[in-house]
Amino acid sequence: MANNQTEIASSTDSANIQFSNSSTPTVSMHGKNDLEKALDPSGKDEVQPSEKSIAAGPAPATLVIGPPPDGGGQAWLAVLGAFCGLFVSFGWINCIGVFQAYYERHQLSEFSTSTVTWITSLETFTMFFCGPFFGTMFDSYGPRWILLLGTILHVFGLMMASLSTEYYQFILAQGICSPIGASAIFNASVNSVSTWFAKRRAFALGVTASGSSLGGVIFPIMVTQLIPKVGFPWAMRICAFLILFMLGITNLTLKSRLPHRPKPFDFLGFLRPLAELKFGLTLAGAFLFFWGMFLPFTFVITQAERYGMSSNLAGYLIPILNAASIFGRTLPGYLADKVGRYNMMVITTFFSAILVLALWLPSRGNAPAIVFSALYGFGSGAFVSLAPALIAQISDLRQVGVRNGTFFAVISFAALTGTPIGGALVPDVLHSDYTRLQIFAGVVMIAGSVLFVFARGAVGGYKLNKV
């Protein structure tokens, strides 16, 4: 039979499925030890079945997964589908600054800044907090049904947001329903790509994550240009139709390389990674960095307007930030596979934190705001692509969905509280001083960067080598 067909061997006692580099399943008679080696969390996955395991005779049914192909048509189709998935999920979340500014001037003008920020912070929180649930579904069933559910909820939530006029309606539609769907899409996309790549995983996830940057460029411009022409309701509906089209591509192309079998729900499975030093330090660093990372996304527009930038020009700061983030999510990912993923995370997180304190904090004119947006987009963009690569590097691929779920669920609390804290530090976005908000963002990001240094030490020591 051709190499791209499945070879089936008769066996009523046991059957182990092994994936070759062509990603085609074949049935073999290998022992359990080979499974544990083949899923080496280092990502090398280069162990061949031993003669001893074959000679041992029938063993309990075990799925033996060979090394990821690190390329090929199906692998890059999965990246394409995941790219579109992040375009409409995280890419939509990346334009929260536009809605923060718009709602404060129109539908929710009677509410305080801190109150309005709960809509956008809840949006980010919900998308990440649902990670454990969708991670478990992914490990058991693969991405197909998760994507279908996510498509329905995300589009329906935005359609309902287009009809909203009250605060609670925006909370339900844009803060809960839509991001639950975005969470399903985001987790299915990231987890699926991780199954196809090992040595080039950071680069593949970087290309995937660049979809969210492109979405963060297009959606803010669409919203700001469409609202004056067709009104807020139809602007939201047009965005929802674009999202539906992109998700059609995702549903057709995104697949997982792994075979998936239903597993019983194990709540403790989400807690076990927290006991691991490598995972705990990585998570703590990500939490602190994420606590401050979204504040520039939310307040860069209003801060620039506070110091004299026109509303028309300020509306392009988020697209500038996200356009630079396209390069920030691909180039560091490419380099990370060569110099070490933890090494690159340390460099880019320190770079982003320094930008907040050294450039955004003293900025008082148009030029500094534009330069900061471009550089910060590049620096912070690396975090989104590198974080899943770090978790995959220190995890068993069979548990990548659950462990990514735990990771994103914990840092979701940083997203939930960070923006309201920033809003409380700036009571009036058009008249208050932004110094306290900027110091808070920069300090917690510096603290997160330091913890990434310790996480790197726990994973590979403190010598200047590839980690």
Side-chain angles (χ1 to χ4, degrees), residues 413-464:
F413 287 95
L416 178 67
T417 57
T419 307
I421 289 173
L425 294 174
V426 186
D428 186 342
V429 294
L430 295 180
H431 300 94
S432 297
D433 184 75
Y434 279 74
T435 300
R436 292 184 299 170
L437 178 150
Q438 292 162 324
I439 291 176
F440 169 77
V443 168
V444 295
M445 290 169 69
I446 285 285
S449 303
V450 171
L451 283 176
F452 277 126
V453 173
F454 289 115
R456 180 206 181 279
V459 173
Y462 293 99
K463 294 182 180 180
L464 293 178

Side-chain angles (χ1 to χ4, degrees), residues 11 13 51 60 115 196 217 288 314 340 382 398 422:
S11 176
D13 295 318
E51 296 179 2
T115 301
W196 290 97
V217 173
L288 289 175
R398 293 166 295 179

Side-chain angles (χ1 to χ4, degrees), residues 2 18 32 79 161 187 225 229 270 283 295 298 319 446:
Q18 181 180 7
K32 183 177 180 179
V79 171
N187 282 278
Q225 294 296 318
K229 298 177 181 178
F270 299 110
L283 178 57
L295 290 176
T298 305
I446 285 285

Side-chain angles (χ1 to χ4, degrees), residues 126-396:
T126 303
M127 192 186 85
F128 290 124
F129 183 73
C130 294
F133 174 72
F134 291 117
T136 300
M137 287 186 63
F138 176 85
D139 288 340
S140 295
Y141 303 103
R144 181 180 300 277
W145 298 110
I146 305 176
L147 287 174
L148 183 60
L149 175 65
T151 300
I152 295 171
L153 290 177
H154 193 20
V155 174
F156 177 75
L158 295 183
M159 290 295 186
M160 292 300 100
S162 73
L163 303 175
S164 299
T165 56
E166 302 292 333
Y167 180 76
Y168 78 91
Q169 294 172 339
F170 286 107
I171 287 287
L172 292 175
Q174 192 170 352
I176 297 177
C177 180
S178 168
I180 289 176
S183 178
I185 297 161
F186 174 80
N187 282 278
S189 299
V190 171
N191 292 334
S192 294
V193 170
S194 295
T195 67
W196 290 97
F197 295 87
K199 296 179 181 178
R200 304 177 69 188
R201 184 177 291 142
F203 175 66
L205 287 171
V207 174
T208 298
S210 68
S212 63
S213 299
L214 184 61
V217 173
I218 293 176
F219 283 126
I221 295 175
M222 284 183 64
V223 172
T224 55
Q225 294 296 318
L226 286 173
I227 288 177
K229 298 177 181 178
V230 300
F232 176 80
W234 268 107
M236 294 293 282
R237 291 167 198 156
I238 291 172
C239 289
F241 282 126
L242 173 61
I243 288 172
L244 182 61
F245 170 77
M246 297 293 285
L247 285 176
I249 299 175
T250 301
N251 278 270
L252 291 174
T253 59
L254 188 66
K255 295 180 180 179
S256 169
R257 187 181 67 96
L258 304 178
H260 295 271
R261 290 179 176 177
K263 305 176 183 67
F265 182 80
D266 179 16
F267 178 75
L268 293 179
F270 299 110
L271 302 180
R272 291 188 190 102
L274 301 177
E276 301 174 15
L277 180 62
K278 294 183 291 186
F279 188 94
L281 287 173
T282 301
L283 178 57
F287 183 93
L288 289 175
F289 185 81
F290 208 63
W291 212 9
M293 190 189 84
F294 263 103
L295 290 176
F297 282 83
T298 305
F299 293 101
V300 67
I301 292 177
T302 54
Q303 190 268 353
E305 291 177 344
R306 163 69 176 81
Y307 294 107
M309 182 177 286
S310 68
S311 298
N312 184 51
L313 179 58
Y316 285 93
L317 291 179
I318 294 295
I320 290 172
L321 193 154
N322 285 303
S325 185
I326 294 175
F327 302 99
R329 297 184 186 189
T330 51
L331 294 180
Y334 175 78
L335 293 175
D337 289 326
K338 298 182 179 298
V339 303
R341 294 152 194 166
Y342 275 89
N343 292 338
M344 188 56 60
M345 180 66 93
V346 169
I347 293 170
T348 54
T349 52
F350 269 114
F351 175 71
S352 302
I354 291 171
L355 282 174
V356 171
L357 296 174
L359 184 56
W360 195 36
L361 178 59
S363 68
R364 295 293 185 270
N366 291 359
I370 294 172
V371 172
F372 168 76
S373 297
L375 294 178
Y376 185 77
F378 180 86
S380 63
F383 174 85
V384 178
S385 61
L386 291 176
L390 298 188
I391 299 303
Q393 179 174 333
I394 60 175
S395 301
D396 185 324

Side-chain angles (χ1 to χ4, degrees), residues 19-25 67 69 74-75 196 257:
F19 282 80
S20 67
N21 283 332
S22 65
S23 72
T24 306
Q74 189 61 66
W196 290 97
R257 187 181 67 96

